Amino acid sequence: MPEPKPVPDRSSPAPRRSQREVLPGKHAQADGLQLRSYDVGALPLLKRIVERMQLQRILSEHLPRDDSRTELPTVTALLVLFANLLMARQPVYGVGEWAALFPPDLLGLRQQDLSRLHDDRLGRSLDRMFEGIGPTLIMAVVRHVIQEFAISLDELHNDSTTVSFYGAYDEAGQESEQRGRPTHAITWGHSKARRPDLKQLLYILTVTSDGNVPVYFSSASGNTVDDRTHIGTWDLLYELIGHADFLYVADCKLASTENLRHIATRGGRFVTVLPRGRSADIAFRQRLRAEPSVLKWTLLYALTNNQGHIVDELFVCGDDHVHSEGYRLLWYRSTRKAEQDKSRRARTIQKATEALSDLRERLQGPRTRFRARSKVEEALAEILAEAEASSWLLVAIEEQEEETFRQATRGRPSEQTKYLRETRSRFTLTWKLNVEALSEVEREDGVFPLLTNDRKLSATEVLQAYKRQPLLEKRFSQFKTDFAVAPVFLKNVSRIQGLLAAYFFALLVQTLLERELRQAMARAGETTLPLYPEARPCARPTTHRLIEVFSPIQRHEVRVGDGESQVMVTKLTKTQRSIIRLLGLDPRTYGLA
């Protein structure tokens, strides 16, 4: 069979594969004995979550209707794609071959559907997803999930990440319109992946504090600024929940006058970080540097490791401060963050001194090009700015006159030869630590301000709410590692937007599976499961680990002559049976239907 092309959105239909090429499973035949083997893995566990989400029904109700000539329904193809994103993350052109390894019934397919599950059909399904995705579809799915899985919406966390693209994407360089809907611009912007050389899209996600379950997502052009996304997101969450009495937690991009006023005037509550450079921030830090003994810090709580050693102590500064717009401003100090700030500053100074040493060697070289002080000052400013160390180092440029002599005339030198004296400037650098500035800045180590309009929350509750914000980063980590979102093997921006929506639903399935298992463990009194190699305990199982643990499970169908097939499933381990029971399934029928 010829190798498929790596670009899935072709304008012409994909060639129909032969029936022999798409027969599911692996086959063996000898002396009237037929054996067909399938992979099963964790597919039944995922299927159970998808069924409880009623994803097939809701997608069918909200996506555009299929043409009467469509042989493989769009929703069926998308559900196979979701399963692939969770279990294998094959490129679109490899999904059909991957699906052929599994029993068709576990994927909601018929055997004849496998020949239709090619890249062109999946590409067209992503077109349909692009046409149908929006607040109405997302909220329909999430509303049912909230009710079915009893998810609390009292506290929601919002953040964004960037999806990088390898390629020119010239046709998607500007916002446009396809299929009657707006498309994003794949372009350069502030790269959160630290890849300013790559174009990107913005991916915005909101999760609950109850299990970090994704409840809303949106995407935007690569040059979209984060602070412009919060009002639209908050309004949609308000519509989803039906009231404004939920705590909205986000990073410092939320802390604009417009964003905070929009939430507060509608009865909403928020927690965010006050950005550096604001007047209230500058005033407090100046006071902290000048009069550190005047400020009183109260211990809130301490964190310990498994050995009982204190690894962090959290303090709050005296009474609440009032922001210029009337919101509560609380100042905290973390001993662990103080150590991190000090270490980060030490690395910054080391990086700067290494660069200064290199520049000094270049200045002292016999063929140095730094003959003018202005050139040296320019190179020095660039080093200090790049290392962000101008405040910590006192650097001096020293100039010396260097004398050289050359013959006034050509020829072999003799006693009568006259020489001309020439002088030119040569520069060097000297530097030392700015001890006074370092002493002052050390008083700020570990200090950070939080801003909220909720006056009922204690200082500890405000801090703990913000401390849950980094858990959202776990979802982004899964998005980029487990799902391997980049590189994207698509060139059409509408299909890319459809694929980002598919990732959201896959991430939702993954999160719900983790939450269900962890809650079942708590109800059963199971603190750990032996999921790691050598049966090492795992306290917080992940979907990724479950997929690895269940990967050896297969279904085998044996037929002798014209008799009925006998179906057998790989013998389950004790751990696998325990997980299956915790998730409400029967180990005796696992993988059979």
Side-chain angles (χ1 to χ4, degrees), residues 4 46 67 69 95 97 132 152 177 179 203 219 230 293 317 325 329 342 361 404 430 453 459 489 518 588 593:
L46 301 174
D67 188 279
R69 298 168 295 178
V95 171
E97 294 180 3
S152 171
E177 185 176 293
R179 300 177 178 271
Y203 193 88
S219 55
H230 286 292
S293 60
C317 180
E325 297 174 16
L329 179 59
K342 186 175 181 179
E361 290 182 5
T404 58
T430 60
N453 66 334
F489 294 101
R518 293 173 186 179
R588 294 172 298 179

Side-chain angles (χ1 to χ4, degrees), residues 276-447:
R276 292 292 294 260
R278 299 285 179 88
S279 58
D281 178 81
I282 294 174
F284 183 85
R285 293 182 186 278
Q286 287 177 345
R287 185 182 176 193
L288 186 61
R289 291 186 180 195
E291 304 174 318
S293 60
V294 175
L295 300 174
K296 302 300 181 183
W297 297 90
T298 303
L299 177 66
L300 295 178
Y301 60 91
L303 299 176
T304 59
N305 57 18
N306 295 333
Q307 290 73 38
H309 301 143
I310 295 176
V311 295
D312 194 10
E313 291 181 313
L314 285 305
F315 300 82
V316 66
C317 180
D319 299 329
D320 287 2
H321 297 73
V322 180
H323 186 256
S324 59
E325 297 174 16
Y327 308 125
R328 291 174 66 192
L329 179 59
L330 298 100
W331 284 89
Y332 298 92
R333 183 195 294 275
S334 163
T335 55
R336 181 165 58 185
K337 185 177 184 301
E339 295 173 357
Q340 293 170 346
D341 291 344
K342 186 175 181 179
S343 298
R344 188 179 303 111
R345 187 167 53 251
R347 291 193 299 270
T348 296
I349 293 173
Q350 181 180 1
K351 178 181 177 182
T353 54
E354 290 174 354
L356 290 174
S357 298
D358 180 65
L359 177 59
R360 182 166 58 184
E361 290 182 5
R362 293 163 61 194
L363 295 175
Q364 295 296 316
R367 298 183 179 181
T368 181
R369 297 183 179 181
F370 292 93
R371 299 298 184 184
R373 175 178 284 270
S374 60
K375 294 292 185 182
V376 180
E377 292 174 345
E378 182 179 341
L380 175 60
E382 183 178 348
I383 288 174
L384 295 178
E386 183 178 352
E388 299 180 352
S390 58
S391 301
W392 326 129
L393 293 172
L394 298 175
V395 186
I397 302 175
E398 296 182 356
E399 183 176 355
Q400 299 173 342
E401 293 291 332
E402 184 181 58
E403 292 185 347
T404 58
F405 296 87
R406 66 179 180 85
Q407 291 181 211
T409 58
R410 295 181 180 181
R412 193 183 187 97
S414 64
E415 295 179 357
Q416 288 77 31
T417 300
K418 295 182 179 181
Y419 292 87
L420 298 178
R421 176 176 173 271
E422 293 181 347
T423 61
R424 59 183 179 182
S425 298
R426 182 176 286 275
F427 301 93
T428 189
L429 299 177
T430 60
W431 59 85
K432 62 180 181 179
L433 292 176
N434 188 340
V435 178
E436 183 178 352
L438 287 172
S439 176
E440 289 183 355
V441 78
E442 284 178 357
R443 298 168 188 170
E444 296 183 35
D445 286 349
V447 173

